Amino acid sequence: MQRFDPNQLAVRSGHFIHGRLVTGDADASRDVLRPSDGQAYAPLPMAEADLVDQAVDDAYVAWRDGDWARRPPRERARVLRRWADLVEADAPTLAPLEAVGSTRPVRDALAWDVPFTADGLRFFAEYADKLGGEVAATRSDNLGMTIAEPYGVIGAITPWNFPLVMASWKVGAALAAGNAVVLKPSELTPFSVLRLAELAVQAGLPAGLFNIVQGDGRVAGAALSRHPRIAKMTFTGSTSTGAAIMAACAQHGPKPVTLELGGKSPQLVFDDAPDVERLAGIIAGAIAGNAGQVCVAGSRLIVQQGIAPALVKAIARRFAAYRPGPTWEDGPTLPPIISRQQALRIDAIVQRAADAGATLRGGGPVDDVCGAGAYYLPTLIEGVDAGNPAVLEEIFGPVLTVQTFATEEEGLALASHPHYGLAAGVHTADLNRAMRAMRALSAGTVWINRYGRSNDFVIPTGGYHQSGIGKDLGRQAVEANQRLKSVLIDFGSPV
């Protein structure tokens, strides 16, 4: 399916507790809007603290009284692999469900989001029996060891930009490690994960081990973070919200957190970078993909003076070729902004950048694409300094700032950001320079002569500084869902 009629799509709404859909209080529901055209397409029940209590308590009992944590890890892995197979086979249902209410075009959801979600679950399944502790060096008549055990119930809060993928990162790692999970998806994109949870139960996951509560961060998210039976929280989203979650976990625990937060990632280009046209495609895609609504978006182009004119011109041509349109159509290449409010925020930052002396090159808001949908054309901003709002603030839209430099040292200094350190790109034909830059850049991920994630799930993702704490993906993600118990055994003297 490469296109569909959004008005004919069946959408099931509710919470998901103990393996079944729970409709919730209709009087406490909120309409969810399609970002492509601004139309309401389904009501969403909004959980209060008592329903969060019910979901967490159900997950705790299912984990405590069930055998999931005590099963041989390979048996947990088999369930996760069956789940992945069901997800992949369900692409004709999942992809339009993901696309209709998000910024993910159905074409991309079919080709990337759903297969990536399935492969992520398979990766975590493969790691279920790979971690378990260590034997420590102690006296010859002693045995010392560490044993990895699940926490119990993990609380997860996921963002709206990649609903299925982000949920699979959180839930897959937690379940592989033997935990239960209570997930609160974004209230802007709440429905595709319900289908994901149904498929988990079909795959054999015991009821209650994966519960979903719908609602906003102020009520449902806060109640989840504070709940005494939530042993650990994991969150992807803004730095300000992450700080609030961390504070709640400190005050009502304390309990550990994994936080993947904001970014303002540089793409550092040296004069010797080969093939300007190919490079322009990489850089344009790294900021215009998903209309810039990606935490690792390469939003700051820092380019050496010699290559700068040709590269900026080539990027501008790429930007001009993007065509906005709804997520359920074949032709568009630029999806909507998640909401009109967010589009206005993007434009406000761009205008403040211009007021501070920057030059805008193309782009900007466009309002006549599809009803009341919000779209923003890819925008270049030149003539900025380190204090410009467009350089400092995470815009979360298809806006690329341009700064030029003369020397390697100057380029590395510009690439540094006072707050964020999520990701960075380096483009050069000089391997020694690439390695120096990689070492110098303070970022959780550095891509060299490429930009963006691939299906290399073994590579973890996470940021430095205000971009987060801990890692998603990789063995590190599974380890983060386990705690270590130290054991000492004395067998030297007979009893």
Side-chain angles (χ1 to χ4, degrees):
M1 179 188 297
Q2 292 292 303
R3 59 179 299 170
F4 64 95
D5 182 349
N7 298 313
Q8 300 300 313
L9 189 67
V11 177
R12 300 181 68 200
S13 178
H15 314 282
F16 193 84
I17 300 174
H18 203 74
R20 61 186 179 86
L21 201 66
V22 177
T23 56
D25 185 358
D27 293 334
S29 65
R30 176 188 299 177
D31 283 338
V32 182
L33 307 183
R34 300 187 303 227
S36 291
D37 62 2
Q39 298 299 305
Y41 72 107
L44 180 71
M46 305 295 285
E48 298 291 337
D50 58 345
L51 193 134
V52 174
D53 286 343
Q54 177 186 339
V56 174
D57 290 345
D58 180 80
Y60 178 76
V61 171
W63 177 80
R64 183 196 65 191
D65 296 346
D67 68 343
W68 183 253
R70 294 186 293 276
R71 287 187 190 185
R74 298 303 299 170
E75 291 188 13
R76 292 201 300 267
R78 277 192 283 272
V79 173
L80 293 177
R81 287 197 299 269
R82 284 197 296 268
W83 187 17
D85 292 343
L86 290 175
V87 167
E88 200 163 55
D90 201 54
T93 297
L94 276 171
L97 192 59
E98 180 84 333
V100 69
S102 77
T103 61
R104 303 300 299 143
V106 66
R107 174 185 61 250
D108 294 344
L110 277 168
W112 189 81
D113 298 65
V114 175
F116 193 84
T117 297
D119 279 348
L121 295 175
R122 292 188 183 104
F123 170 82
F124 289 122
E126 292 163 4
Y127 252 105
D129 68 345
K130 304 301 186 295
L131 305 172
E134 297 177 341
V135 175
T138 59
R139 287 168 30 188
S140 61
D141 58 352
N142 276 238
L143 178 64
M145 66 182 76
T146 57
I147 298 174
E149 298 181 334
Y151 277 100
V153 183
I154 305 295
I157 300 177
T158 50
W160 48 260
N161 54 344
F162 295 93
L164 283 173
V165 169
M166 293 291 101
S168 70
W169 288 8
K170 308 295 189 186
V171 178
L175 292 175
N179 298 283
V181 188
V182 179
L183 168 70
K184 191 202 85 68
S186 169
E187 64 273 26
L188 301 178
T189 54
F191 300 123
S192 59
V193 293
L194 293 174
R195 180 60 180 162
L196 191 68
E198 289 177 339
L199 294 173
V201 174
Q202 289 181 28
L205 186 72
L209 284 178
F210 179 16
N211 290 340
I212 296 172
V213 291
Q214 307 284 10
D216 60 19
R218 182 181 58 85
V219 177
L224 190 62
S225 302
R226 294 194 302 261
H227 201 285
R229 281 184 169 165
I230 292 294
K232 177 185 184 293
M233 283 295 299
T234 177
F235 167 78
T236 296
S238 71
T239 296
S240 58
T241 302
I245 289 171
M246 190 172 182
C249 288
Q251 294 165 3
H252 299 272
K255 62 190 75 171
V257 295
T258 295
L259 305 173
E260 188 190 32
L261 306 178
K264 194 68 184 174
S265 301
Q267 300 200 65
L268 182 61
V269 180
F270 292 93
D271 280 348
D272 63 352
D275 194 345
V276 167
E277 287 299 325
R278 174 183 175 275
L279 183 57
I282 293 173
I283 292 170
I287 186 60
N290 205 36
Q293 297 165 113
V294 184
C295 58
V296 296
S299 57
R300 295 187 294 134
L301 173 60
I302 298 165
V303 55
Q304 202 161 15
Q305 293 167 354
I307 198 175
L311 180 59
V312 172
K313 186 177 180 180
I315 293 171
R317 286 197 305 270
R318 298 267 183 168
F319 276 7
Y322 280 92
R323 293 291 177 261
T327 55
W328 48 79
E329 294 289 348
D330 278 334
T333 53
L334 183 75
I337 302 301
I338 189 63
S339 68
R340 184 162 292 275
Q341 180 182 5
Q342 171 63 7
L344 291 172
R345 176 187 172 276
I346 291 169
D347 197 51
I349 297 174
V350 170
Q351 295 309 315
R352 284 195 287 119
D355 292 342
T359 300
L360 307 185
R361 185 166 177 171
V366 54
D367 296 322
D368 57 350
V369 176
C370 186
Y375 295 84
Y376 207 92
L377 298 176
T379 303
L380 275 166
I381 303 183
E382 298 177 279
V384 294
D385 58 23
N388 191 281
V391 173
L392 284 175
E393 299 178 31
E394 184 179 35
I395 299 175
F396 225 65
V399 179
L400 180 67
T401 60
V402 181
Q403 295 170 277
T404 60
F405 66 92
T407 67
E408 180 178 321
E409 292 74 18
E410 183 184 357
L412 290 169
L414 288 174
S416 177
H417 193 277
H419 308 303
Y420 295 119
L422 189 55
V426 178
H427 304 274
T428 177
D430 185 332
L431 180 60
N432 290 331
R433 173 182 282 160
M435 293 298 99
R436 288 195 300 271
M438 178 274 292
R439 287 292 192 187
L441 290 167
S442 187
T445 298
V446 178
W447 290 294
I448 297 175
N449 293 328
R450 55 169 289 170
Y451 199 94
R453 296 188 178 110
S454 58
N455 285 25
D456 302 301
F457 296 97
V458 73
I459 305 296
T461 182
Y464 288 6
H465 313 310
Q466 293 184 23
S467 289
I469 296 172
K471 298 291 185 180
D472 285 322
L473 298 181
R475 66 177 176 81
Q476 291 84 355
V478 184
E479 288 176 335
N481 284 280
Q482 296 178 322
R483 52 189 173 182
L484 293 178
K485 178 179 289 183
S486 297
V487 180
L488 284 167
I489 303 171
D490 190 337
F491 55 84
S493 303
V495 177

